[in-house]
Amino acid sequence: MSDKESREVGTKSTRRNFLKNSGLTVGGLVLGGAVGSLFRQNPESGKKTEQTTQAPTANPNLALMFFYPGEYQTAMAAVERIFPKDELGPGAQELNAAIYIDHQLASQWGVNAKDYMLGPFHEPEPTQGEQIRILRKDLFRLGLKGLDDYSNKHYKKTFIDLEGSEQDEVLVAFEKGEADSLSGVSTADFFRLLRNLTIEGVYADPMYGGNKEMQGWKMRSFPGNKMSFTKEIQSKEFIQLEPSSLHDHMGHS
């Protein structure tokens, strides 16, 4: 699909402003971009057939650990709408943000291993953190299913089969908490989790699965994780640094 398609939902925002101003706490969608189908299910054989892009498998760090193929497909479509490809660089799909999310949900973080998850649960004040009973991995799985349920109800299609502007409408409804709740949890909670993980997947160190080839860092001229910047700080001249990953420093003293 062309990533010049019309942006019809919400306040229009560009990647240029996003890259200049955004942090992990900035809310809302970055409209635009599109995503192709990664997997299709052959209804006759029950086997996956390849469409535009294969799921990464050559690199063990890119193998799926949590998502089923259909969930991965939906996640890829959703993250691309949040961080789309444009003239400034690749989108979340190409940057493997969904792989990052997959790995996080498969980890101890996905089961809230370090969180206190026993009651009582109270309605939090605006200044307090979330009080959600459901595990992150379960919330995300319910949220992906919810995207399809809402899409089928309002458009008679699954989320991945919607036009880009329609996908935006679905995500905006989730962001505002206007869709049906997910086992008692607001869709706004799922959207917040989806968006935060998407941005993390774009900018986290590549060793965690996302930020493919450090392209997310390159768009922001971020040098990555280095053991020391002493030499560069002491230099009287400006030094242009190429990004480097934590993986690049493994085995070095």
Side-chain angles (χ1 to χ4, degrees):
M1 294 182 186
S2 170
D3 49 50
K4 293 182 180 179
E5 62 182 313
S6 60
R7 293 159 167 83
E8 302 175 350
V9 182
T11 302
K12 295 184 179 179
S13 177
T14 66
R15 174 78 70 77
R16 188 178 304 279
N17 290 333
F18 181 87
L19 291 177
K20 289 169 62 178
N21 304 319
S22 73
L24 293 183
T25 60
V26 178
L29 284 170
V30 179
L31 302 182
V35 63
S37 174
L38 300 176
F39 293 101
R40 287 285 185 180
Q41 194 77 15
N42 187 323
E44 296 181 357
S45 65
K47 297 181 180 180
K48 292 178 292 184
T49 57
E50 297 176 358
Q51 287 276 343
T52 56
T53 309
Q54 293 186 3
T57 55
N59 185 339
N61 195 43
L62 301 181
L64 293 179
M65 300 178 181
F66 176 77
F67 289 139
Y68 294 113
E71 294 173 332
Y72 178 64
Q73 186 178 10
T74 303
M76 288 289 282
V79 301
E80 183 70 6
R81 299 311 302 173
I82 292 174
F83 193 94
K85 176 181 180 179
D86 67 8
E87 71 279 1
L88 295 181
Q93 175 187 5
E94 187 177 342
L95 292 170
N96 288 341
I99 291 292
Y100 171 86
I101 295 174
D102 171 87
H103 290 190
Q104 293 302 304
L105 296 176
S107 71
Q108 291 297 297
W109 182 86
V111 294
N112 300 68
K114 294 185 178 181
D115 299 334
Y116 181 81
M117 296 296 291
L118 299 178
F121 292 88
H122 300 286
E123 186 69 25
E125 297 296 328
T127 56
Q128 294 178 315
E130 298 174 352
Q131 297 282 321
I132 300 177
R133 307 184 186 200
I134 192 170
L135 300 178
R136 295 187 185 100
K137 70 178 184 66
D138 295 331
L139 173 58
F140 206 92
R141 180 156 276 159
L142 285 171
L144 293 178
K145 183 179 183 300
L147 291 177
D148 274 342
D149 291 343
Y150 187 91
S151 300
N152 279 314
K153 179 179 179 180
H154 292 272
Y155 302 95
K156 309 303 180 184
K157 298 177 182 178
T158 60
F159 184 78
I160 63 171
D161 290 324
L162 298 178
E163 296 295 329
S165 59
E166 294 172 333
Q167 291 177 336
D168 291 339
E169 291 173 357
V170 173
L171 290 172
V172 167
F174 270 57
E175 180 184 20
K176 294 180 178 179
E178 297 175 350
D180 293 337
S181 66
L182 309 169
S183 293
V185 179
S186 171
T187 57
D189 293 317
F190 165 70
F191 179 86
R192 186 161 44 250
L193 180 63
L194 168 66
R195 185 188 182 280
N196 286 346
L197 287 174
T198 298
I199 304 307
E200 288 177 16
V202 168
Y203 293 124
D205 194 285
M207 72 179 297
Y208 298 108
N211 190 11
K212 181 181 178 182
E213 298 174 355
M214 296 176 282
Q215 294 180 74
W217 289 348
K218 291 175 183 177
M219 285 189 286
R220 303 198 69 160
S221 298
F222 177 64
N225 300 295
K226 297 181 181 294
M227 301 301 291
S228 172
F229 290 93
T230 303
K231 179 180 178 181
E232 289 79 9
I233 292 174
Q234 293 177 344
S235 174
K236 295 181 179 180
E237 298 180 357
F238 177 78
I239 299 177
Q240 183 74 36
L241 296 173
E242 289 296 321
S244 64
S245 164
L246 288 171
H247 184 271
D248 298 330
H249 301 289
M250 290 183 176
H252 296 278
S253 57

